[in-house]
Amino acid sequence: MNILRRKIDQYLKDWYSNPNRKPLIVKGARQIGKTFSILRFANATYPNVVYINFALEAQYLSIFADGYDVDTIVKNITFTDSTKRFIPRQTIIVFDELQKCPDCATSLKSFMIDGRYDVICSGSLMGIFYQEIESNSVGYKEDYEMHSLDFEEFLWAKGYDEEQIGGLLKNMVEVQPLTLSQMNALSLAFRDYMVLGGMPAIVSNYIESNSFTDSLKNQRQLLTDYEEDITKYALGLDKGKIQSIFRHIPVFLGKENKKFQISKIAKNARNRDYIGTVDWLHDAGIANICYNLDLLELPLRSNYNPQNFKLYFQDTGLLIGSLEEGAQRDLRFNRNLNTCKGALYENIVADMLYKAGFELFYYKNEKSTVEIDFIIRDEGHIILVEVKANDNPTPSLNNILSKKDKYPDIGYGIKLGNKNIGFNGLFYTFPYFLTFLLKPFVYREKMRNFAVR
């Protein structure tokens, strides 16, 4: 199996180098590589690893029944399996499938205070009652949210290194177009990433076989697994309504107006009857919510409408899997996509922005005469981001940026498309595949100064 380099690898090394490290909770959607990455790190770093999987080893669910004292927990573990060893300062305990045993989170305070053993917990966001975990372990844990592979990790898998990726950022900052060979190679890699998504097993198989064999089958199986998990873990909410929203994500993305409309997913459906369902899909690591802003001004969080939003899959491979047979092939050969092409590009840009650390917002005025696909920000300015599946003009972008006196918080615009790097005095153009570098780009001091000249 191809061993994929992941961003969590460096995070875990940095965590270990901190002498005051706290117990760590790694959370994320299913099948994104949490357990593999944690155990690879643990086995390479610690002389002694104790691994407990609460989903596969139900006998360990009772190890906290006698309280949360570390010695008591260790005693109960060794009674359950006498071969497990606990060597102070040399042992890491990995508690996997945390969602099956929320009591485990309560023990983290004790492990932190005791200090003899390091602890990493891993759990599916779909099953973690995270508010309960927060209340039980606040101040005594550290959190890391993991995602499927982003495009940078995909490039690592294909053999690209930091120097090459750093060179791409340098080109963006200096507004230097990429060479034709760079454009061609990265465009091909990006198209493959769009087809595959970032699930590690799918990417690893692609790297090893240099083909798309079984990728669609695996994407569809994951969609089925997610639907089954909704029935397991959506406690206190109408599971049928969550499944209905989940199934309708590609339906609304395929429309000209990609706004998700609760009223159109079922007869007499009303927003008030679906409270919490959309948030559940986001919190489970399945969907990204992009809220419409009422005003183009900072702060963004205080200007959005919670009932006006778009929904995207958190991994574009799920969108591909939800389409009809042949959609993968059509995307690879850039044919028969029509409006679906816009949905795919918007979905992958949303996914890349979210994985880069941006919250997702868009803007559409009341008359629907002006619409900007994504709104991001740096430390002091709003940045307008347009996604173009073709080379059409951007009237909304031009309209707003030509009236910057009316919108004092706006810095500049970015147009993503099948275009090389450029700047026309109002907005930058970047090829889609550079979206993963927008965070370091917009936060560079040079760019902040340049944008407000």
Side-chain angles (χ1 to χ4, degrees):
M1 178 181 176
N2 187 277
I3 304 300
L4 300 174
R5 176 186 171 193
R6 304 299 304 277
K7 291 184 176 178
I8 193 176
D9 299 340
Q10 187 59 51
Y11 182 90
L12 291 171
K13 292 176 183 178
D14 293 341
W15 172 80
Y16 179 73
S17 68
N18 182 359
N20 299 313
R21 57 188 172 274
K22 300 177 181 179
L24 176 64
I25 296 179
V26 178
K27 52 184 180 173
R30 65 143 69 211
Q31 298 184 29
I32 58 170
K34 299 184 297 296
T35 300
F36 183 87
S37 295
I38 292 167
L39 288 180
R40 180 171 62 180
F41 159 77
N43 288 315
T45 309
Y46 290 84
N48 189 50
V49 178
V50 174
Y51 175 71
I52 293 173
N53 186 311
F54 291 119
L56 301 179
E57 302 170 295
Q59 65 269 30
Y60 289 104
L61 293 174
S62 62
I63 61 176
F64 307 104
D66 301 316
Y68 301 104
D69 174 73
V70 171
D71 285 330
T72 301
I73 296 169
V74 168
K75 181 180 70 175
N76 286 340
I77 293 173
T78 54
F79 268 122
T80 304
D81 181 356
S82 61
T83 66
K84 294 190 185 300
R85 295 285 181 264
F86 290 83
I87 307 168
R89 316 297 175 187
Q90 298 184 45
T91 298
I92 185 168
I93 308 170
V94 178
F95 291 120
D96 203 0
E97 303 291 354
L98 177 62
Q99 73 277 2
K100 292 289 186 180
C101 187
D103 280 346
C104 178
T106 308
S107 72
L108 300 184
K109 178 177 179 179
S110 297
F111 279 106
M112 174 67 188
I113 294 172
D114 181 272
R116 285 176 291 167
Y117 312 109
D118 288 343
V119 176
I120 297 181
C121 300
S122 174
S124 166
L125 281 169
M126 193 172 283
I128 290 181
F129 299 97
Y130 210 68
Q131 287 185 338
E132 178 182 341
I133 290 174
E134 284 282 358
S135 64
N136 288 342
S137 54
V138 63
Y140 295 95
K141 65 174 178 58
E142 185 173 331
D143 297 297
Y144 182 87
E145 184 171 350
M146 191 174 175
H147 307 286
S148 61
L149 277 82
D150 65 17
F151 187 55
E152 184 172 15
E153 290 172 314
F154 184 79
L155 290 177
W156 290 345
K158 288 182 69 67
Y160 289 82
D161 58 29
E162 282 87 352
E163 184 177 353
Q164 290 169 303
I165 293 171
L168 297 177
L169 179 60
K170 185 173 184 289
N171 279 76
M172 295 171 71
V173 171
E174 296 179 354
V175 198
Q176 292 295 322
L178 301 174
T179 65
L180 181 60
S181 62
Q182 287 176 315
M183 284 291 294
N184 289 339
L186 290 167
S187 294
L188 286 172
F190 184 68
R191 188 175 63 193
D192 289 353
Y193 178 66
M194 286 184 68
V195 170
L196 295 162
M199 290 299 175
I202 295 174
V203 173
S204 183
N205 182 65
Y206 157 82
I207 296 295
E208 288 181 356
S209 66
N210 195 30
S211 76
F212 296 87
T213 303
D214 292 333
S215 58
L216 181 59
K217 181 181 75 173
N218 292 332
Q219 288 164 341
R220 290 183 167 172
Q221 182 60 52
L222 188 59
L223 285 167
T224 301
D225 292 342
Y226 279 160
E227 288 217 27
E228 291 177 355
D229 282 350
I230 289 171
T231 65
K232 289 181 189 177
Y233 296 120
L235 303 179
L237 293 170
D238 188 318
K239 299 171 184 178
K241 289 177 179 175
I242 296 176
Q243 286 180 321
S244 181
I245 291 173
F246 177 65
R247 292 167 185 166
H248 277 84
I249 292 174
V251 175
F252 287 100
L253 286 179
K255 297 184 181 300
E256 184 76 22
N257 176 8
K258 296 178 176 58
K259 175 184 174 183
F260 196 95
Q261 296 175 276
I262 297 290
S263 62
K264 293 187 177 181
I265 66 175
K267 187 177 180 180
N268 299 321
R270 296 170 296 185
N271 280 316
R272 67 188 185 200
D273 298 325
Y274 284 75
I275 292 174
T277 53
V278 173
D279 289 328
W280 190 92
L281 285 170
H282 172 70
D283 293 343
I286 297 174
N288 284 323
I289 310 172
C290 184
Y291 289 108
N292 186 44
L293 293 173
D294 290 326
L295 300 169
L296 282 174
E297 61 183 46
L298 298 173
L300 300 179
R301 281 190 185 181
S302 62
N303 288 323
Y304 75 86
N305 184 341
Q307 293 187 351
N308 193 348
F309 58 88
K310 300 178 186 179
L311 273 184
Y312 302 98
F313 285 114
Q314 280 205 13
D315 187 277
T316 298
L318 297 178
L319 179 56
I320 292 291
S322 72
L323 301 176
E324 74 277 3
E325 195 80 37
Q328 268 198 352
R329 185 174 58 254
D330 289 343
L331 179 59
R332 292 204 300 274
F333 293 102
N334 194 28
R335 66 188 186 196
N336 302 328
L337 291 170
N338 300 321
T339 58
C340 186
K341 189 175 182 181
L344 288 166
Y345 281 116
E346 267 200 46
N347 196 102
I348 200 163
V349 168
D351 181 46
M352 294 170 82
L353 290 174
Y354 185 76
K355 286 175 178 174
F358 289 110
E359 294 182 84
L360 299 181
F361 300 100
Y362 75 103
Y363 178 73
K364 189 172 188 176
N365 64 3
E366 292 183 0
K367 296 180 180 180
S368 299
T369 56
V370 175
E371 181 172 6
I372 302 295
D373 295 319
F374 297 101
I375 307 294
I376 60 176
R377 62 165 297 170
D378 59 16
E379 290 182 353
H381 300 93
I382 287 172
I383 300 159
L384 313 178
V385 179
E386 278 276 75
V387 180
K388 289 297 179 183
N390 47 45
D391 199 28
N392 288 344
T394 53
S396 292
L397 201 58
N398 287 316
N399 183 300
I400 295 175
L401 291 172
S402 65
K403 301 175 182 176
K404 288 182 64 174
D405 55 331
K406 183 180 175 182
Y407 305 103
D409 288 340
I410 291 178
Y412 54 94
I414 293 172
K415 178 182 176 180
L416 301 171
N418 288 313
K419 303 280 284 184
N420 211 324
I421 296 171
F423 182 67
N424 67 1
L426 289 176
F427 59 83
Y428 296 89
T429 58
F430 294 126
Y432 299 112
F433 55 76
L434 292 182
T435 304
F436 78 99
L437 289 171
L438 287 187
K439 193 68 174 280
F441 173 80
V442 303
Y443 276 92
R444 288 182 65 89
E445 187 65 38
K446 178 179 179 180
M447 289 301 99
R448 288 202 300 271
N449 291 338
F450 187 78
V452 296
R453 285 180 184 175

